[in-house]
Amino acid sequence: MSSIIRTDKLTFEYTRKDEENKVIDTVRAIDEVDLDIEKGDFIAVLGRNGSGKSTLAKHINALLYPSGGTIWVGGMDTKDDAHLWDIRQTAGMIFQNPDNQMVASVIEEDVGFGPENMGVPTEEIWKRVAHSLEAVGMTAYAKKSPNHLSGGQKQRIGIAGVLAMRPQCIVMDEPTAMLDPIGRREVIRTVHELNQNEHITVILITHYMEEAVDADHVFVMEHGKVKLSGTPKEVFSRVEELKRLNMSVPQVTELAYELKKSGVDLPDGILKIEELTEALCHLS
Amino acid sequence: MLKDMTLGQYYPVDSMVHRLDPRTKLAGTLLYIISLFITNNVVGYAIAFLFLCLCIGLSHVPPKYIIKGLKPVLVLMFISIFFNLFFIKGEPVLFSWKFITITQPGLRQAILMAVRLVFLISGSALMTYTTTPTALTDGMEKGLGFLKIFKVPVHEIAMMMSIALRFIPILAEEADKIQKAQTARGAVFDEGNVIQRAKALVPLLVPLFISAFRRATDLAMAMEARCYHGGDGRTKMHPLKYGRNDMLVYAAFLMYLALVFISRKISIGL
Amino acid sequence: MSLELKNVNYTYNPGTPMQQVVLQDINVTIEKGEFLAIMGHTGSGKSTLIQHFNALIAPTSGQVLFEGQDVFADGFDKRMLRSRVGMVFQYPEHQLFEETVFEDICFGPRNMKLSEEEVKARAEEAMKLAGVPEIFRERSPFELSGGQKRRVAIAGVLAMKPEYLILDEPTAGLDPGGRDEILDLLKNLHEQSGISIILVSHSMEDIANYAQRILVLNGGRIVLSGTPREVFRHADELSGYGLSVPQAARIMHALKEKGFDVDTDANTVAEAKASILAALAKRGVNVGKAGEADA
């Protein structure tokens, strides 16, 4: 397996200035982060607001450049301007507010926006648009206006728009934060399908832990550093630590943890209801 | 209010007019407007009317939609009729009572101006009914492409137009929500004199502007992430290409213009 | 003392081809001092419903009654109503506009035409109630974090001294820490200041933890109503409305199916834990240090 995104002591600092343009302080949004993400993986990045996860996402898309260290996307150093468009094509990006990432008033035209910018020939654009809309299950809406869609549907259009650029990797910056539970499920199911069917690497940034349960690997960030890292099972067995980092633990995980504290002999890192009932049955 | 605007509304049917290149429709509309200012008599207007009816017929847009599009300009029309009717002096006087005088040239001018306005709005409405906003901006971008040599940012203007069209309904809805949020805090927007009313708008406009700027920042970043870098090297989903019908329509317009010119020489005494 | 919707129907764009029935035959009475949650998926009519409570939307037919008086009757003082029935919209960005946090909180009481001293005193008190830190007083509300903006927005409504506080998705977009802070704030307002809370939320877990009564809306009708225990019993029905029950309740149902004698009405982690421990004890499972931990 080869890596798609790799960072070496990635650091990002910005300065805050007062009204007279004097520097008040310097904030380290990312603090010497080393990552190595393999092609085809489903990665979840957790952390509370301001933990540096969005800043990290913007580095992957070369929307921000490191102030220290290096990040390689598909083997390309993002500081190398010559590869800017290749990098953005390799790693597509989905943002929090689905309304603010749509350009066109007709859905299929919005999906075609990326390929148009890349200079893809017209016929090929149409093929890609059709395929992308099908992959996210929105073919029926191709000629419609985005204004009447639900949040989840809008976000799926956003994903189709990135997909039409044929990326190897999709970075999603809290794509479900503004959605209702149905929309959230829709979007998460869609990205899992893309990960499995199209072998696209997914980097999902979220603060909903239940969305990270099926990931291959989980990172938990705080103050610009990766505080916890591992499989969901490994990470979610550390309930106290997660709560201290302000993460919401799924009720089943918390319940298992509580029962264990009261002396019930349960395994670590229970993430699903069946795992808990299974383990409890085993006891008696 | 924004919902009632007919201008810029698309009537989705398939017709020969819908399928025309947007540049043809833009140029056609422009030529039609010019023709209305060339005409100076009833014959000319009759030709203009017949030509408009022909276009509407070919477009499959129900005439009642065209008439609906006239509503917003009714006021303008009445003002125009009023001024022409009462303030144009001349001979012979048709009607006179106290300070009100209506002359024949006044009446004639009033009718012609009103008709001209009706035709002008109907013609433009027909264009927007048959052309999607995107096609319209595409048409302008390509049709006005020659302006690039004068350093006019044609592509950027066209992109701005299409983004504005996309965000008008979103911002209108947002304005409604903000108004409700402030009303819930006891704000009143429809009381007091002009200055008080203008002041009352501050709690509405500040959040609206901040939101618009935030959306603009987000959108700019999302566009960059999708490799947007201006018009250079961009391909199009809908590349514009003139077809046989476009040529036919251009020919028809030239003949129509010729007819209008000829009509100027005809005098039937009105 | 109550807030009541009586036979309320609401139709959007009535008499046009765009006509759309949003609310049908709504009857709700909210008593003073209640903590009510309203749930329903997007488009179920819940936002329209709550806007009736402070006369932002007039029903197509039916009545909105505040302390028995029709709020749409001639001469009814809607401004008074809006100060007593406060409403916080989903995004604080929709209401914050002043240069400083403190001035923004003053906006509501100032609209009530109170004396300047009274306005300031109320803003002062509201800041404390909503837990807005003193250091934010002179800051611009736009520089604050999402959670802090929400506190300021809530303070701006509390400054009008409402008896009822309606909140539309007050935790949307916040991280879990921020969410708990806002929900705890509402709990305190309810318990310590006696303000009735009407909370619209998607999060079943939050509702189970905080609300005394739940209304479920689907297709513009009230389809379920009762205590969290009563409402969450209808797991299948709720899933038909695009809603779910708290995960704790689903765990209890799964255990019941496996033959455990557990309380299927348990909706919170604490309740579930107690019930499972009891069921295990009945089965004679040795739960080690159970009882000595935190019984």
Side-chain angles (χ1 to χ4, degrees):
Chain A
M1 283 289 225
S2 54
S3 67
I4 173 93
I5 288 151
R6 202 157 66 80
T7 68
D8 177 40
K9 295 204 167 42
L10 181 69
T11 301
F12 183 75
E13 283 178 345
Y14 63 92
T15 50
R16 279 201 295 210
K17 290 177 181 167
D18 65 6
E19 278 148 25
E20 282 125 38
N21 229 10
K22 267 189 262 169
V23 176
I24 307 171
D25 58 355
T26 309
V27 182
R28 257 195 182 201
I30 303 181
D31 195 359
E32 303 202 341
V33 166
D34 294 317
L35 287 179
D36 195 346
I37 293 170
E38 285 189 354
K39 260 185 199 163
D41 266 2
F42 194 112
I43 306 289
V45 182
L46 298 165
R48 66 173 314 176
N49 292 343
S51 60
K53 48 195 200 325
S54 289
T55 314
L56 178 66
K58 285 178 191 137
H59 276 84
I60 300 174
N61 203 266
L63 289 168
L64 288 177
Y65 300 100
S67 39
T70 314
I71 175 166
W72 292 271
V73 175
M76 297 170 279
D77 184 341
T78 63
K79 270 176 289 193
D80 187 352
D81 263 349
H83 292 307
L84 180 62
W85 306 114
D86 294 328
I87 288 166
R88 291 193 178 153
Q89 186 262 317
T90 307
M93 183 131 182
I94 298 290
F95 297 87
Q96 191 182 80
N97 188 332
D99 265 325
N100 297 357
Q101 56 186 325
M102 286 195 187
V103 186
S105 306
V106 179
I107 284 166
E108 61 182 11
E109 286 171 13
D110 192 76
V111 176
F113 181 73
E116 282 185 335
N117 292 332
M118 288 158 59
V120 175
T122 302
E123 257 175 69
E124 170 71 13
I125 299 181
W126 282 99
K127 270 190 216 151
R128 289 188 183 192
V129 168
H131 173 257
S132 306
L133 282 173
E134 204 186 309
V136 300
M138 291 294 289
T139 306
Y141 296 86
K143 309 271 176 203
K144 298 240 161 70
S145 144
N147 288 331
H148 302 292
L149 300 183
S150 72
Q153 289 173 323
K154 282 182 195 163
Q155 210 52 301
R156 276 151 70 199
I157 296 300
I159 296 170
V162 167
L163 205 57
M165 295 166 72
R166 296 270 160 91
Q168 297 180 46
C169 170
I170 298 185
V171 186
M172 308 179 85
D173 189 2
E174 294 188 29
T176 59
M178 298 183 77
L179 307 184
D180 64 8
I182 300 179
R184 272 163 53 191
R185 250 174 285 153
E186 243 173 73
V187 169
I188 297 301
R189 199 186 48 226
T190 307
V191 278
H192 272 289
E193 280 168 11
L194 292 184
N195 178 241
Q196 267 145 33
N197 305 339
E198 318 256 334
H199 310 290
I200 290 175
T201 314
V202 174
I203 298 171
L204 172 69
I205 292 171
T206 180
H207 44 233
Y208 293 108
M209 204 161 264
E210 52 282 24
E211 294 175 359
V213 165
D214 293 316
D216 297 311
H217 204 91
V218 178
F219 297 108
V220 183
M221 289 187 73
E222 198 195 29
H223 299 314
K225 282 188 185 295
V226 175
K227 280 278 151 96
L228 293 173
S229 154
T231 63
K233 253 198 184 344
E234 286 162 7
V235 170
F236 294 163
S237 57
R238 300 158 89 163
V239 174
E240 281 309 304
E241 227 164 322
L242 289 168
K243 283 197 154 178
R244 196 181 48 73
L245 293 171
N246 251 314
M247 295 287 87
S248 79
V249 183
Q251 281 192 327
V252 64
T253 310
E254 197 183 342
L255 181 58
Y257 176 79
E258 286 289 325
L259 287 170
K260 212 171 138 106
K261 239 176 39 184
S262 296
V264 183
D265 184 22
L266 292 170
D268 272 336
I270 283 181
L271 303 174
K272 295 188 174 159
I273 295 178
E274 307 82 67
E275 288 171 15
L276 178 63
T277 52
E278 209 58 31
L280 284 172
C281 283
H282 218 74
L283 283 177
S284 27
Chain B
M1 194 175 71
L2 284 162
K3 283 179 203 142
D4 304 329
M5 267 194 350
T6 8
L7 208 70
Q9 244 178 43
Y10 179 65
Y11 185 83
V13 287
D14 190 31
S15 79
M16 175 243 166
V17 181
H18 283 74
R19 282 191 302 267
L20 285 177
D21 189 293
R23 287 170 293 176
T24 313
K25 285 183 271 191
L26 275 166
T29 311
L30 193 66
L31 288 177
Y32 188 71
I33 292 171
I34 291 170
S35 81
L36 290 176
F37 287 92
I38 295 171
T39 352
N40 63 351
N41 63 32
V42 172
V43 180
Y45 281 108
I47 296 170
F49 178 69
L50 287 176
F51 194 74
L52 184 65
C53 287
L54 178 73
C55 293
I56 293 173
L58 286 171
S59 74
H60 297 288
V61 176
K64 75 166 186 217
Y65 273 82
I66 306 278
I67 293 162
K68 222 171 73 186
L70 292 173
K71 255 193 222 155
V73 287
L74 273 181
V75 180
L76 193 66
M77 214 150 83
F78 282 124
I79 294 173
S80 144
I81 291 176
F82 176 83
F83 275 97
N84 283 312
L85 203 54
F86 298 117
F87 292 98
I88 290 183
K89 303 280 171 259
E91 292 291 329
V93 173
L94 297 175
F95 175 83
S96 184
W97 179 72
K98 292 196 177 165
F99 54 89
I100 296 172
T101 336
I102 292 174
T103 63
Q104 196 189 11
L107 179 66
R108 190 187 119 108
Q109 194 63 20
I111 294 172
L112 289 190
M113 278 306 285
V115 170
R116 189 179 277 173
L117 207 58
V118 168
F119 287 3
L120 192 147
I121 300 296
S122 305
S124 322
L126 185 65
M127 176 183 73
T128 55
Y129 276 130
T130 58
T131 320
T132 62
T134 335
L136 210 57
T137 40
D138 277 352
M140 286 181 60
E141 183 179 352
K142 196 146 186 205
L144 301 177
F146 65 90
L147 288 175
K148 264 189 249 175
I149 50 170
F150 303 110
K151 304 257 184 230
V152 179
V154 180
H155 166 79
E156 283 72 15
I157 291 171
M159 182 56 79
M160 271 161 55
M161 272 180 60
S162 69
I163 288 173
L165 283 169
R166 155 108 181 86
F167 279 90
I168 283 172
I170 294 175
L171 289 173
E173 198 179 312
E174 187 139 53
D176 183 56
K177 281 190 191 147
I178 295 168
Q179 186 177 356
K180 277 186 174 152
Q182 302 298 30
T183 308
R185 291 212 286 167
V188 179
F189 298 101
D190 50 4
E191 259 174 31
N193 60 32
V194 180
I195 294 168
Q196 282 164 330
R197 282 185 192 213
K199 257 186 160 170
L201 284 179
V202 172
L204 205 159
L205 292 180
V206 172
L208 190 62
F209 271 95
I210 287 178
S211 157
F213 279 116
R214 148 137 221 145
R215 286 179 190 280
T217 318
D218 280 6
L219 184 71
M221 196 185 298
M223 286 170 71
E224 261 192 75
R226 285 164 81 182
C227 294
Y228 180 71
H229 53 278
D232 296 334
R234 245 183 141 243
T235 43
K236 291 263 177 194
M237 277 180 93
H238 301 278
L240 297 180
K241 236 173 38 206
Y242 280 128
R244 205 173 58 98
N245 279 345
D246 292 294
M247 294 305 134
L248 271 173
V249 170
Y250 272 115
F253 264 100
L254 289 179
M255 298 219 306
Y256 160 72
L257 269 188
L259 276 176
V260 171
F261 261 109
I262 294 164
S263 78
R264 285 171 67 93
K265 310 278 176 228
I266 304 170
S267 155
I268 51 169
L270 250 172
Chain C
M1 291 298 177
S2 62
L3 190 55
E4 190 181 357
L5 297 188
K6 214 170 164 185
N7 304 324
V8 163
N9 289 289
Y10 182 77
T11 307
Y12 187 70
N13 280 334
T16 70
M18 308 265 284
Q19 175 168 323
Q20 200 189 341
V21 178
V22 185
L23 292 177
Q24 280 186 75
D25 201 25
I26 301 286
N27 284 291
V28 199
T29 308
I30 299 166
E31 299 294 342
K32 215 162 164 181
E34 253 198 294
F35 196 130
L36 175 79
I38 298 176
M39 51 192 228
H41 70 81
T42 311
S44 60
K46 54 189 193 320
S47 290
T48 311
L49 176 73
I50 56 173
Q51 288 178 33
H52 280 80
F53 285 128
N54 67 354
L56 286 174
I57 292 182
T60 314
S61 69
Q63 284 180 308
V64 181
L65 303 172
F66 179 68
E67 296 182 339
Q69 292 197 299
D70 187 340
V71 308
F72 288 100
D74 284 342
F76 186 89
D77 185 357
K78 289 203 186 86
R79 244 196 243 197
M80 177 280 291
L81 173 75
R82 285 172 190 147
S83 67
R84 294 175 68 181
V85 182
M87 173 117 171
V88 183
F89 281 80
Q90 186 172 2
Y91 296 107
E93 287 81 1
H94 286 163
Q95 72 174 68
L96 302 177
F97 74 100
E98 280 282 8
E99 274 178 50
T100 69
V101 165
F102 190 75
E103 278 302 300
D104 206 280
I105 297 171
C106 288
F107 181 67
R110 213 164 261 157
N111 285 328
M112 292 165 73
K113 311 240 155 87
L114 300 168
S115 72
E116 198 52 30
E117 285 145 54
E118 175 73 15
V119 167
K120 294 232 157 86
R122 282 184 170 213
E124 209 67 63
E125 199 189 329
M127 257 179 83
K128 283 200 190 80
L129 263 181
V132 178
E134 197 59 28
I135 48 158
F136 289 165
R137 175 191 290 263
E138 298 303 321
R139 288 225 194 131
S140 157
F142 309 111
E143 289 170 5
L144 307 181
S145 73
Q148 294 299 352
K149 274 186 195 159
R150 256 170 246 236
R151 276 181 194 273
V152 175
I154 292 173
V157 174
L158 285 177
M160 298 166 81
K161 293 208 171 158
E163 293 143 53
Y164 299 83
L165 185 62
I166 308 171
L167 303 106
D168 191 0
E169 295 278 351
T171 59
L174 297 184
D175 65 20
R179 202 183 64 204
D180 291 346
E181 280 175 21
I182 294 293
L183 289 168
D184 287 338
L185 164 66
L186 298 183
K187 194 177 167 194
N188 280 340
L189 288 174
H190 177 241
E191 284 171 1
Q192 280 156 31
S193 311
I195 299 174
S196 319
I197 305 283
I198 299 148
L199 172 71
V200 173
S201 175
H202 285 312
S203 166
M204 307 308 148
E205 281 81 6
D206 292 348
I207 287 175
N209 277 326
Y210 293 93
Q212 296 169 330
R213 186 157 72 106
I214 299 177
L215 288 183
V216 181
L217 234 65
N218 187 54
R221 286 175 186 278
I222 294 174
V223 284
L224 281 173
S225 135
T227 63
R229 279 178 168 255
E230 286 162 359
V231 168
F232 287 134
R233 253 173 229 159
H234 303 266
D236 290 340
E237 202 179 332
L238 285 170
S239 86
Y241 304 139
L243 303 168
S244 58
V245 299
Q247 203 183 21
R250 276 181 280 151
I251 296 169
M252 301 316 266
H253 279 280
L255 285 173
K256 188 96 191 172
E257 267 176 40
K258 297 266 182 186
F260 282 85
D261 183 22
V262 289
D263 173 16
T264 49
D265 282 352
N267 291 315
T268 63
V269 171
E271 285 170 358
K273 179 187 171 186
S275 174
I276 291 174
L277 286 178
L280 286 175
K282 254 189 225 166
R283 287 190 162 202
V285 178
N286 180 18
V287 285
K289 51 183 195 237
E292 76 193 57
D294 42 356

